Amino acid sequence: MNRFLRTSYLVACVAGVGFFVLSVLILGVWPGRVLEEETRRMSPEHPLKLTASEQRGRAIYSKEGCAYCHTQQIRFLKSDVIRFGAPTLAWETQFDYPHLWGTRRIGPDLSREGGVHSPDWHFSHLYSPRSIVPESVMPAYPTMFNGAPDRPTQEARDVLAYIESLGRARELAGPEGEARMQAASHQMDDMQVASPVLNASPAKARRTGTYSVIRYHLIGQTTHADRGLNVYNRHCAGCHGSKREGDGPGAKGLLPRPANLTEHDYSRERFSFVLWNGVAGTAMPAWRDLSKEDLDALADFLAPAPSTRRVRPPGVPRMMELGRSVYAAHCAQCHGVSGEGDGSAARELAMLPSNFHDIAPVNSAILRAIRNGVEGTPMAPWTAKLTDAEIIAVALVIERREWE
Ligand code: HEC
Ligand code: HEC
Ligand code: HEC
C-alpha cells in the first residue's frame, strides 16, 4: 500500500510536469515557430525598416495611447476589407515590437493610413479633431504644436512620419509581393477574399485625369430636401464652413484652402468623382463611407442640375481673341488646349489643374485665381506677366468656356 502510494505521487508529479512542458510547447513555442516561419515565407526579400523620425513617432503614438482607440490590424472581414484594404498579414508588423495592434476599434483602423490624408489634414486634425470632424471623440493634442495647426513641433512631425509609414511595406511589396504571398499562403480562401483589393487603403485620395479608370458612384437625384444640409453640416461644414464659403473652423491650417462652394458650379461627374476619390494633393478626403442616399442628397444640395446654373456673360469678339491667345501662350500647358485640365505639364504636377468644363468658377473667383494664384497649389499669380486687359480677357474665355 505504502509503495503504491509512493509511486502514484511520482506518476502524478511526472505527469504534471510533463503536461506543463507539453502545454508550454503547444501554446507558447509552437505558435511562435509557426508565426516566424510564416513571416519568413511571406515577407518580401528586403522589407523597409522605420526611419529615426518614424521610430520617434511610434514611441509618441505608444506613449499617447493612440492604440487604445485605433487598431492596426485589418481583419478578414468583408466590412474591414472594403473600408481599409487587404487584411493585415503577419510579416507587415515584423519590426513592430512591442506591437501596437490594439484591440478597441473606437477610431478607424490605421494599418493603411499612409497617403489617405494630406499632411495639413493630419496636423489640423491632431491639433483639434473636432474642427475637421465635428462629431469626433478623439482628444486634441495642441501640445504638439506652437499655438496653431500650421506650426507643428518636431513631435507632431514625427507622429505624421509614423502615420505615413503605415501600410507602406505592403504597398512597396507591390504585385510581385502579393503573388509571393498568395503562393505561400495556406489560407487560399481567405486570401481570395483579399486578392482583388488594393494593397493601399481604398480611401486613399487618387490623382487621375480620366474619370473612367476608377469606379465611382455617379450621384443621382434624391427626394429628401433637407437631408443634404444635414449631411453637409455633419461632414463638410468643419472645412467648407456653414455658409459653404470655404471658411470653416478646420480651414485655418489647410493649404490649399477648402473650396468656396458658392463660387463654383460643378458637373455631376466631377462632383461624384471628388466625393468618391477626394482631391489628391489637398486635404479634401474621399467620402466612400457615406451611404448612397447621403451622397445623392449632398449632390442635390451642392451641385444642382445644369438647368439652374448661371447664364454666361456675352462674348466681345476682340476680347475673346485676345483672351484665347493669352490662354494658348500661358495657360494651355497646364489647363489643356481647350480647358480640359490635361495640358502637357499636368502630368508633372502634384495636383491636377482645373478642368473648366467640370468646374465653373464665377467671374470674381477666376479673376482672383489669376491675380493672386491659388496658395498651396502650382497655380501661380499672373499680375507680373499679364496686363489687366489680358487678365480680364482670359477670364472671359474661361467663363464662357469657348476655346475656338
Ligand atoms: C479616445 C479615442 C482616441 C484616441 C486616444 C485617439 N484617437 Fe484618433 N480617432 C478617434 C476617432 C473616434 C476617430 C474618427 C473621427 C475623426 O476622424 O476624428 C479618429 C481618427 C483618427 C485619424 C483619421 C483616420 C481616418 O483615416 O479618418 C487618425 C490619423 C488618428 N485618429 C490618429 C490618432 C493618433 C496619432 C492618436 C494619438 C496621438 C489618436 N488618433 C488617438 C479616436 C481616438
Ligand atoms: C478636411 C477638410 C475638408 C472636408 C471635411 C471637406 N472638404 Fe471638400 N475640399 C477641401 C479642400 C482643401 C478642397 C480644395 C481642393 C482644391 O483646391 O482643389 C476641397 C474641395 C472640394 C470640392 C471641389 C473639388 C474640385 O473639383 O476641385 C468639393 C465639391 C468639395 N470639396 C466638397 C466637399 C463635400 C461635399 C464635403 C463633405 C462631404 C467636403 N468637401 C468635406 C477640404 C475639405
Ligand atoms: C503650372 C500649371 C498652371 C498654369 C500654367 C496655370 N494654371 Fe491655373 N491652375 C493650376 C492648378 C493646379 C489649379 C488648381 C487649383 C485648385 O484646384 O485649387 C489651377 C486653377 C485655376 C483656376 C481655378 C480657380 C478656382 O477657383 O477654382 C483658374 C481660374 C485658373 N487656374 C486660371 C488660369 C489661367 C487663366 C492661367 C493662364 C494665365 C493659368 N491658370 C495657368 C495650374 C496652372
Side-chain angles (χ1 to χ4, degrees), residues 5-81:
L5 254 185
R6 220 177 295 138
T7 36
S8 75
Y9 283 140
L10 190 68
V11 168
C13 186
V14 169
V17 171
F19 276 113
F20 178 74
V21 170
L22 199 65
S23 63
V24 167
L25 286 177
I26 292 181
L27 299 175
V29 178
W30 185 53
R33 296 301 284 276
V34 170
L35 185 64
E36 252 169 41
E37 162 66 9
E38 181 166 314
T39 303
R40 195 185 52 69
R41 221 161 15 89
M42 296 176 75
S43 163
E45 307 256 348
H46 304 289
L48 204 62
K49 295 194 178 160
L50 296 185
T51 65
S53 166
E54 290 160 3
Q55 279 289 2
R56 290 196 301 270
R58 199 181 111 84
I60 299 167
Y61 185 96
S62 162
K63 184 184 80 187
E64 295 292 346
C66 311
Y68 291 127
C69 290
H70 292 284
T71 49
Q72 289 185 23
Q73 184 189 21
I74 301 169
R75 296 164 290 188
F76 282 85
L77 293 176
K78 208 173 166 201
S79 52
D80 267 27
V81 170

Side-chain angles (χ1 to χ4, degrees), residues 264 330-331 334-335 351 353-354 356 366 369-370 374 378-379 382 398:
H264 297 82
H330 298 293
C331 320
C334 287
H335 288 285
M351 66 184 294
S354 317
F356 295 118
I366 299 176
I370 304 175
V374 183
M379 174 70 194
W382 286 93
I398 291 174

Side-chain angles (χ1 to χ4, degrees), residues 19 107 143 170 207 227 307 371:
F19 276 113
T143 50
R170 183 67 172 265
R207 177 199 183 282
R227 182 165 185 159
S307 58
R371 288 191 178 125

Side-chain angles (χ1 to χ4, degrees), residues 194-206:
S195 59
V197 175
L198 294 162
N199 287 338
S201 167
K204 193 166 169 170
R206 303 204 182 270

Side-chain angles (χ1 to χ4, degrees), residues 177-192:
E178 212 62 11
R180 190 183 153 93
M181 281 175 246
Q182 294 265 3
S185 174
H186 296 310
Q187 303 163 300
M188 275 322 281
D189 292 347
D190 289 340
M191 289 304 291
Q192 266 149 18

Side-chain angles (χ1 to χ4, degrees), residues 84-135:
F84 302 119
T88 309
L89 297 175
W91 68 263
E92 288 183 67
T93 52
Q94 59 185 313
F95 303 125
D96 215 11
Y97 189 82
H99 70 75
L100 293 171
W101 298 330
T103 51
R104 300 193 67 197
R105 294 173 190 266
I106 294 173
D109 188 282
L110 296 181
S111 26
R112 312 216 184 288
E113 184 66 12
V116 168
H117 292 291
S118 62
D120 55 346
W121 188 97
H122 280 298
F123 286 145
S124 295
H125 185 252
L126 209 54
Y127 183 74
S128 161
R130 284 195 200 178
S131 69
I132 300 244
V133 185
E135 291 168 2

